[in-house]
Amino acid sequence: MTNSLPTAKPVLVVDFGAQYAQLIARRVREAHIYSEIVPHTWTAERILAKNPAAVILSGGPASVFEPGAPRLEPGLLGAGVPVLGICYGFQAMALVLGGDVDQGSKGEYGSTAASVGCPGGLLAGSPEGQTVWMSHGVAVSRPPAGFTVLASTEGAPVAAFEDRARRLYGLQWHPEVHHTPLGQAALENFLYREAGLKPNWTTGSIVAEQVASIRERVGSSRVICGLSGGVDSSVAAALVQRAVGDQLTCVFVDHGLLRQGEREQVERDFVAVTGARLVVHDASDVFLRALDGVVDPEAKRKIIGREFIRAFEAAAREAVGEPDARAGADVGAVNDAVAGADTAANAAAGAGADVGAVNDAVAGADTAANAAARAGADVGARAAGEVKFLVQGTLYPDVVESGGGEGAATIKSHHNVGGLPDDMKFELVEPLRALFKDEVRAVGSELGLPDSMVWRQPFPGPGLGIRIVGAVTRARLETIRRADGIVREELTRAGLDREIWQCPVVLLADVRSVGVQGDGRSYGHPVVLRPVSSEDAMTADFSRLDYDLLSRIAGRITGEVPEVNRVVLDVTSKPPGTIEWE
C-alpha cells in the first residue's frame, strides 16, 4: 500500500501504454492542476467513480485496428466529463463515436506542419499554421457526427476536432512534448476554458495534503525512513517528519556503494536541518558479500533491494530495541557513546590535533550519546507505537521504468520499486510516488531544506554498484569513488550544478586499454562521463560541456586515479539510451 496525493476532483490521464504518458500529467501539473495516471484496463465506471474534473486519453504504441488493442468504453464519453484524446486516444475516441479511421493513410513521425482552419475553444489563440510533433501510422479521415474539424496535416485530414456541446476534444499530435511549441497552450485551453478548472495546485497544497494523508494513515505507529542523503529520500523524510514528528526514525544504511563524503553529509547536514532522529547502520560488508561475483545488472539491483530491506529490519530493531532488552538500553547505550566520546577526544588531542579537531570529536561524542539515549532510553516512552511503516523516496519515473504503468514496458527495475522482497515486514509510505523531480525539489524548498540538498544531483538507490560494469569489489568501488569525486568537484567549481541534471561516472571494470603513464606502459580501465540535461529523467540529452572543463576533468582523473588511463564521453540521448548504463 502506498500514499497518493488526495484531491477532490483530479484530472485523470488514462494510460494506453505510452512510455511517456506521464509527461501529460506533468504538463497538467505545470498548469497548477493536480493529475493522476490510471490504466486503460479500468472500466468507465471505475474511472468515473474517482469523480474526475476532466479526463485525458493518452497515446500508445498500438494501432486501433490491432487485435487486442486497448478499447475505449463509450460510457466514458457520455458522462458529461470533459475528455481530451491525444494520438491513440484521439483515434479511439473517433472510432467509438462513429468517425472513420483510415488504416492505409500516410503515417507521420516527428516535426509536422499543421494547418489550423477553425481555431475553436481547444485551439483558441492559435495561428493559422503551427509546428506539431506527430507519431502515428493511421489517421482520422472523417470526424464523428457533431464534431468540428479544427486542424489538418498532410497525412491527417482530421488532426484536431471538438464537440463543445458534449465537451469532447481531440488532437492527433502530442501537445505534451516540447517539440510542439504551442502544445501547453492547447492543454491549458482544455483545462481552463473548456473544463473550467482553476490553477490552485501548488507546492504549499502538496505539502498540506500529503502531511494530512500521512497522519491519517500512520496514526500512532512508528515509521522508519530509508535515508540516502539524496533529494528524494531527504524530501520524503522531511515530509513525514512534518507529519508525525518523533514517530519517525531515519535510518541511513551505509551499503558501501556510496560516493565520497555522502555518509558524513547525511550525519552532519540532514539532522541539523530537520531535527529528525537518525540511526546509521553500516552494512557494507554484507552488501559486498552478497554482490560477490555478480555481473548481471538486474541481479545486482534485486540483491541490493533485498539487502536494503534486511538492513532496514535490523536497523529498526537497533532503533527501538528488543522488548526484553529495553531496561538496560539507556544506560548501556549512553555509557558506550560517552566512552567513545572520551576516546575520540583523547585520541584527537594525543595526536597533536588542534583545538577545533578536539572540539569536533567531543561534539560528535555528544551527538552520539544523545542519539544513543534517544534510541535506547526514550524507547520506553515510545514503545507503544509499533514500527509498521517504511518511507521511501519513490518518484514517478521510478515507477514508469519499472513497468508500474499497465501497458508500459519494463526498462529496468529500481531497488525501491522492483527489487523489494515479497516477505518485507513493513508497509510502504511513498509520499513522492506521484511527483516528478522538479516537483520534489519545489516541495523540498517549501519545507525549508537547503539548496545543497534540494539541488543535489540524483543518485540511484543501488549506488555505485550499478556504475561499475562488471563485478563489484572493494577496490573497484574505491576507483570509481575517487573518479566520481573529481567530476563532482569540477562541475561545482564550474558553477554547473543546476545546469546539469546529473553526471554519472561509469567504470568499465572488465575492460582494459593500453596507455602511457609515468613514461611507461599502462594497462588500465576506462571511465565514462555521462553528463545529461533533463527535466524529469523521462527524456534526456547529453550536456555540451566546455572542452577545457572536459580536459581538466580527464587530466585529473588519469593523474590522480592510477587504475584509470582513459576517460571517454557518452553523447547518447535518452531514448535510445538510459541515463545510467545499468
Side-chain angles (χ1 to χ4, degrees), residues 282-366:
D282 192 334
S284 55
D285 290 340
V286 174
F287 277 81
L288 284 173
R289 283 196 300 270
L291 290 167
D292 185 30
V294 178
V295 174
D296 179 72
E298 279 297 284
K300 288 182 188 177
R301 290 176 182 273
K302 297 290 186 181
I303 289 169
I304 293 169
R306 181 192 71 213
E307 295 303 329
F308 248 101
I309 294 302
R310 298 299 173 243
F312 283 137
E313 291 170 349
R317 291 192 294 271
E318 292 177 10
V320 302
E322 297 295 340
D324 58 355
R326 288 176 186 153
D330 52 341
V331 177
V334 175
N335 286 343
D336 287 347
V338 173
D342 293 338
T343 301
N346 291 336
D354 59 19
V355 174
V358 177
N359 288 341
D360 287 346
V362 174
D366 290 340

Side-chain angles (χ1 to χ4, degrees), residues 183-411:
Q184 186 68 13
L187 285 173
E188 291 181 3
N189 279 340
F190 171 70
L191 297 168
Y192 300 154
R193 293 170 57 94
E194 306 307 312
L197 303 181
K198 303 297 182 183
N200 55 14
W201 193 67
T202 63
T203 52
S205 69
I206 295 172
V207 171
E209 291 175 349
Q210 195 55 249
V211 165
S213 175
I214 293 167
R215 283 176 180 163
E216 180 180 1
R217 182 169 174 224
V218 168
S220 62
S221 296
R222 299 282 306 287
V223 186
I224 290 287
C225 177
L227 188 65
S228 70
V231 181
D232 307 338
S233 66
S234 296
V235 174
L239 261 176
V240 177
Q241 174 76 8
R242 175 77 62 90
V244 300
D246 285 346
Q247 291 170 239
L248 171 70
T249 298
C250 292
V251 176
F252 181 81
V253 174
D254 184 352
H255 52 21
L257 309 174
L258 301 171
R259 296 183 292 188
Q260 281 183 347
E262 288 191 305
R263 175 170 173 170
E264 293 77 12
Q265 182 189 43
V266 171
E267 291 178 301
R268 180 186 66 245
D269 296 341
F270 182 79
V271 175
V273 171
T274 65
R277 181 177 292 109
L278 176 67
V279 172
V280 177
H281 185 82
D282 192 334
S284 55
D285 290 340
V286 174
F287 277 81
L288 284 173
R289 283 196 300 270
L291 290 167
D292 185 30
V294 178
V295 174
D296 179 72
E298 279 297 284
K300 288 182 188 177
R301 290 176 182 273
K302 297 290 186 181
I303 289 169
I304 293 169
R306 181 192 71 213
E307 295 303 329
F308 248 101
I309 294 302
R310 298 299 173 243
F312 283 137
E313 291 170 349
R317 291 192 294 271
E318 292 177 10
V320 302
E322 297 295 340
D324 58 355
R326 288 176 186 153
D330 52 341
V331 177
V334 175
N335 286 343
D336 287 347
V338 173
D342 293 338
T343 301
N346 291 336
D354 59 19
V355 174
V358 177
N359 288 341
D360 287 346
V362 174
D366 290 340
T367 301
N370 291 336
R374 286 196 299 268
D378 291 353
V379 76
R382 297 183 282 107
E386 175 191 1
V387 178
K388 184 178 179 182
F389 296 97
L390 168 66
V391 179
Q392 290 198 134
T394 308
L395 306 190
Y396 246 158
D398 300 336
V399 176
V400 175
E401 291 195 342
S402 297
E406 289 194 42
T410 298
I411 296 174

Side-chain angles (χ1 to χ4, degrees), residues 512-525 562-566:
R512 288 186 178 273
S513 64
V514 175
V516 179
Q517 289 174 295
D519 296 325
R521 179 182 185 275
S522 68
Y523 198 49
H525 300 289
E563 299 85 359
V564 176
N565 68 352
R566 195 176 298 270

